[in-house]
Amino acid sequence: MTNPAPASLAPTLGFIEELAHEAISTLPEPFRIPATHVRLRVEDFPDDEMLEELGVEDSFELTGLYDGIPLTEKSTSDQVTRPDVIWLFRRPILDEWAERGDVSISELVSHVVIHELAHHFGWTDDQIAAIDRWWE
């Protein structure tokens, strides 16, 4: 990972993406490589179409989104029409980070990435908790 952003500057889209890749690289072995097959996209905010589809009115309420078909619902006979994508939204993440004040930006990005990967892998709450100790 590159040097962290100076304290006076908000983390960039690229820095958030680096943190997300770092979070994926620390996953337990059975999940690490499959997680790298999910495309990561980092934007400042979700677009209006995403918000409308999810019924979310305030774009600051959405820190991340998994867009794809969970592995538990895929079949080898399925025709792949688009890649699975995890979207991270920088401004809502930064707002939550500032509001919390008790976690690092790396911890928060890792939490959002793992939460979105949970949708991809079809994990239970217990499986999420074994990897992401967020609630302890």
Side-chain angles (χ1 to χ4, degrees):
M1 183 173 66
T2 62
N3 292 331
S8 62
L9 298 176
T12 64
L13 295 169
F15 185 70
I16 299 292
E17 184 174 352
E18 283 183 43
L19 293 175
H21 285 291
E22 185 177 297
I24 289 169
S25 75
T26 64
L27 288 171
E29 190 57 45
F31 303 110
R32 188 175 312 131
I33 291 175
T36 64
H37 298 153
V38 178
R39 180 177 286 163
L40 280 174
R41 297 283 309 267
V42 183
E43 299 290 338
D44 275 321
F45 287 103
D47 64 31
D48 291 338
E49 184 179 317
M50 285 179 188
L51 293 172
E52 186 176 318
E53 187 175 308
L54 295 168
V56 175
E57 292 186 23
D58 182 356
S59 60
F60 279 95
E61 291 180 16
L62 192 62
T63 55
L65 176 68
Y66 170 67
D67 182 17
I69 299 170
L71 292 178
T72 54
E73 297 175 19
K74 287 186 180 184
S75 167
T76 55
S77 63
D78 286 344
Q79 189 71 11
V80 177
T81 58
R82 60 190 176 117
D84 294 321
V85 178
I86 289 177
W87 294 87
L88 300 176
F89 303 112
R90 185 181 79 96
R91 291 288 308 279
I93 288 171
L94 294 181
D95 267 29
E96 182 174 335
W97 175 51
E99 286 174 15
R100 285 181 172 277
D102 63 349
V103 297
S104 71
I105 189 66
S106 177
E107 290 170 320
L108 182 57
V109 169
S110 179
H111 169 69
V112 174
V113 168
I114 289 170
H115 177 86
E116 300 311 329
L117 279 171
H119 294 296
H120 174 67
F121 288 118
W123 289 340
T124 65
D125 288 342
D126 288 340
Q127 289 170 311
I128 296 169
I131 293 171
D132 182 14
R133 307 311 252 177
W134 187 258
W135 295 278
E136 288 185 345

